[in-house]
Amino acid sequence: MSIIQKIALVITIVGAVNWGLIGIFDFNLVAFMFGDQTVLTRIVYALVFVAGLFNIALLFLRNKHHITQEI
C-alpha cells in the first residue's frame, strides 16, 4: 500500500467517523473543530470527497488487476 493510499484511507476514515457521529449523536466533529461552513471546514469536506473517489477508483482498479492475474 502506497503512502497516497494510506493518506486517502485515513481521510476516508475521518469522514466515516464524522458521519457516524452525525448519525448517532447529531454532532458534527468537523464543524465543531473548524466552525460551521468556514474555509477549513469546506477544505476538510473536499478532502474527504476526493479521498472517497480515490478509494472507489482503487477498488475497481484492484479488482480489475486481480481478475487479469487469475486468468
Side-chain angles (χ1 to χ4, degrees), residues 1 8 10 12-13 15-16 19-20 23-25 28 33 43 49 52-53 57 60 63 65 68 71:
M1 181 178 286
V10 168
T12 304
I13 290 169
W19 274 110
I24 296 170
F25 301 111
N28 187 337
M33 290 177 63
I43 289 171
F49 171 71
L53 292 178
F60 287 111
N63 283 342
H65 180 70
T68 57
I71 295 176

Side-chain angles (χ1 to χ4, degrees), residues 1-9 12 47-62:
M1 181 178 286
S2 74
I3 189 74
I4 295 173
Q5 291 171 327
K6 289 179 184 178
I7 291 170
L9 182 60
T12 304
L47 287 173
V48 170
F49 171 71
V50 170
L53 292 178
F54 184 78
N55 284 325
I56 290 171
L58 282 177
L59 177 68
F60 287 111
L61 290 176
R62 184 168 292 160

Side-chain angles (χ1 to χ4, degrees), residues 20-59:
L21 289 172
I22 291 170
I24 296 170
F25 301 111
D26 195 25
F27 176 72
N28 187 337
L29 181 63
V30 175
F32 176 77
M33 290 177 63
F34 302 115
D36 194 25
Q37 291 302 315
T38 64
V39 173
L40 284 175
T41 303
R42 295 175 66 90
I43 289 171
V44 171
Y45 292 152
L47 287 173
V48 170
F49 171 71
V50 170
L53 292 178
F54 184 78
N55 284 325
I56 290 171
L58 282 177
L59 177 68

